[in-house]
Amino acid sequence: MNMAANIHSSPLRKHHSAIVIGAGQAGLSMSYCLSQQGIDNIILEKSSQVADNWRNQRWDTFCLVTPNWQCQLPGFPYRGNDPDGFMVKDEIVDYLESYRAFFNPQIIFNSPVISLSKNGELFTLVTADTIYTANQVVIACGSYHEPRIPTLAKKMPAHIAHVHSNFYKNPAQLPPGEVMVVGTGQSGCQIAEDLHLAGRKVHLCVGPAPRVNRRYRGRDVVNWLDDMGYYTTTLETHPDGKNAVHSTNHYVTGRDGGRDLNLRIFAEQGMKLYGVLKDTDGERLFFKDDLKQNLDYADQVAARIVKSIEEYIQKNGIAAPEDDNVHSDYLPDIVTELELASSGINSVVWSTGFAMRFDWINLPVFDESGHPKQKRGVTDTAGLYFIGLNWMHTWGSGRFYQVGRDAEYLSEVMVMQHKDMKVSA
């Protein structure tokens, strides 16, 4: 009986030609392309369902900021009747569930990978109950792993509730009172609007994030940019080069059919704006004196994008209606200190980004800052690949629009290696 117990407690061992880690849009796309190439593969997914991040790490009114027509997963482009609309959270999940049903990949759920290493020609992937080996591995779990909240949050009064944007759901989740939102990337601005539209008094700490107009001269800006080839821009051809990887996404929204997010207009409507949150002594909040600078920067980026579109229109003789966007140059009072006791603030939403956690990968594929070292998803470790990272190859990488193109490219690279391994054997 003891021998039987020992047998059953030993981990299972399984081998596959290729293993994909993560069952979001990147992992599903990769599995589809590998299957099309005839490569045996499975997906290891840490949660109990596909698209877990979309289901559980987005707020209730979340929607895509890119039009539905850009949902172009391999073999499964958008098939709905609203190509210029913006999928809400449940529709995104339905799209990914439908994609899963479309080609029925083998997914092993509830299987977070504890460690990934390489021994000779084979990779070893350890999960709680199974040890897998594979000739090739694709890491498709993105880069938004661990919510970051500044340490200064610990110095705030005990009565203030804190929630990271990753866990924010709706205004009713927060205690009564005024709300401070820290950070103005896409999540911060959209959550600030969500609270604002619900009638909550919002204090928004504005960082150096760019914005973009939703529409210009009768079309969604995304459509213009696509025609102009922006989504195929590579790091090699981008003006900022490799620094583009670290840039903040432009804030805009697809909510209610899509519109601009103009913080100056929010301020005119009563939202309180500040510069970057610098520190607190528990009684007062201290802000950088950079509000004007950050608002100006956002406007300059939006204007630069519009200028490039206008040049494209003129160069190609395109007939388009006049611009009807609402503009504002309103600058609220600059406040660099705020008394917490009299502010009415009872909660803070931290839209302060994420840290990557790849410490389970025991391979030399990261730079000094912990970012994967890869080119178009290919690493220096033979057989190891990444997919779904921002700017992995183009501006469209990591998005529904071009993650499929990255997957197709990687599948071609992998099939050549697969053939080489068969010849060697």
Side-chain angles (χ1 to χ4, degrees):
M1 291 182 66
N2 288 338
M3 289 179 62
N6 289 334
I7 290 173
H8 289 299
S9 64
S10 299
L12 297 173
R13 294 180 177 271
K14 297 182 179 181
H15 177 81
H16 294 273
S17 296
I19 292 178
V20 179
I21 303 173
Q25 65 268 19
L28 292 172
S29 297
M30 194 70 245
S31 180
Y32 174 81
C33 291
L34 289 173
S35 297
Q36 291 296 105
Q37 296 280 12
I39 296 179
D40 156 56
N41 73 91
I42 64 167
I43 302 175
L44 297 179
E45 167 55 39
K46 67 179 181 180
S47 72
S48 60
Q49 52 202 342
V50 300
D52 182 67
N53 287 357
W54 295 106
R55 297 174 196 267
N56 298 314
Q57 297 179 27
R58 302 292 189 275
W59 54 95
D60 295 348
T61 59
F62 179 90
C63 60
L64 294 179
V65 300
T66 50
N68 294 335
W69 64 263
Q70 279 207 345
C71 293
Q72 298 283 336
L73 298 185
F76 202 73
Y78 176 74
R79 299 173 181 180
N81 57 8
D82 189 18
D84 294 316
F86 304 88
M87 289 188 193
V88 297
K89 183 171 73 169
D90 290 346
E91 292 171 331
I92 300 167
V93 173
D94 287 345
Y95 177 56
L96 290 172
E97 283 284 14
S98 298
Y99 189 44
R100 175 195 177 192
F102 166 65
F103 72 102
N104 195 28
Q106 184 179 355
I107 306 175
I108 313 300
F109 291 107
N110 301 308
S111 296
V113 177
I114 298 170
S115 72
L116 168 63
S117 57
K118 190 176 186 184
N119 304 294
E121 297 299 314
L122 292 180
F123 292 93
T124 299
L125 302 88
V126 179
T127 67
D129 56 8
T130 306
I131 295 176
Y132 296 91
T133 55
N135 303 101
Q136 298 170 300
V137 173
V138 185
I139 299 167
C141 50
S143 56
Y144 302 143
H145 301 147
E146 186 174 88
R148 288 188 303 204
I149 295 180
T151 55
L152 66 86
K154 297 177 181 178
K155 297 193 287 184
M156 290 187 179
H159 74 274
I160 292 181
H162 300 267
V163 61
H164 191 273
S165 59
N166 198 49
F167 304 107
Y168 171 78
K169 300 302 179 187
N170 54 61
Q173 169 191 10
L174 303 177
E178 302 183 17
V179 185
M180 172 163 279
V181 178
V182 181
T184 49
Q186 286 183 359
S187 294
C189 290
Q190 291 172 28
I191 290 171
E193 185 196 40
D194 191 47
L195 292 160
H196 181 65
L197 292 176
R200 300 294 289 268
K201 184 72 172 182
V202 178
H203 301 252
L204 180 62
C205 299
V206 180
R211 73 175 182 89
V212 64
N213 293 112
R214 178 75 275 169
R215 295 179 179 85
Y216 181 67
R217 299 196 65 177
R219 297 180 75 200
D220 195 295
V221 165
V222 167
N223 294 60
W224 287 119
L225 294 178
D226 185 57
D227 289 350
M228 295 161 64
Y230 270 58
Y231 286 96
T232 57
T233 301
T234 64
L235 287 176
E236 288 75 18
T237 58
H238 193 280
D240 293 336
K242 292 183 178 180
N243 290 330
V245 174
H246 308 293
S247 61
T248 304
N249 286 329
H250 303 69
Y251 57 82
V252 69
T253 184
R255 185 167 177 171
D256 301 327
R259 55 173 170 258
D260 291 1
L261 291 178
N262 191 318
L263 304 188
R264 295 184 191 272
I265 293 175
F266 283 163
E268 289 181 284
Q269 296 170 348
M271 187 181 294
K272 296 294 184 181
L273 304 186
Y274 310 87
V276 170
L277 179 60
K278 188 168 57 175
D279 203 355
T280 179
D281 61 6
E283 297 180 356
R284 295 167 296 171
L285 298 176
F286 304 100
F287 309 95
K288 291 184 179 180
D289 185 11
D290 59 358
L291 175 60
K292 181 181 184 302
Q293 173 186 326
N294 292 338
L295 291 174
D296 287 348
Y297 170 71
D299 289 344
Q300 289 162 8
V301 172
R304 188 165 65 241
I305 293 171
V306 161
K307 182 175 182 289
S308 68
I309 295 172
E310 186 61 38
E311 290 173 349
Y312 176 79
I313 290 172
Q314 298 304 322
K315 179 180 178 180
N316 292 278
I318 298 171
E322 291 300 311
D323 177 26
D324 61 356
N325 281 309
V326 177
H327 301 279
S328 174
D329 58 4
Y330 177 73
L331 179 65
D333 294 336
I334 304 299
V335 176
T336 56
E337 289 188 20
L338 181 67
E339 293 285 344
L340 274 169
S342 59
S343 70
I345 296 171
N346 285 329
S347 55
V348 180
V349 179
W350 297 96
S351 297
T352 44
F354 297 80
M356 291 188 298
R357 289 297 301 270
F358 287 119
D359 51 355
W360 48 275
I361 300 176
N362 304 309
L363 294 164
V365 292
F366 302 98
D367 61 21
E368 296 81 5
S369 63
H371 287 79
K373 293 188 295 184
Q374 52 80 33
K375 185 169 185 179
R376 295 197 71 176
V378 181
T379 74
D380 289 338
T381 297
L384 182 67
Y385 310 91
F386 285 85
I387 191 170
L389 301 175
N390 289 333
W391 279 107
M392 197 178 79
H393 177 50
T394 67
W395 194 21
S397 290
R399 304 168 189 256
F400 279 94
Y401 189 28
Q402 291 195 351
V403 67
R405 297 186 191 184
D406 291 339
E408 289 166 1
Y409 171 79
L410 282 181
S411 69
E412 292 170 1
V413 172
M414 293 173 70
V415 77
M416 293 304 298
Q417 186 195 37
H418 189 64
K419 289 177 180 177
D420 289 343
M421 287 186 296
K422 283 187 174 181
V423 170
S424 299

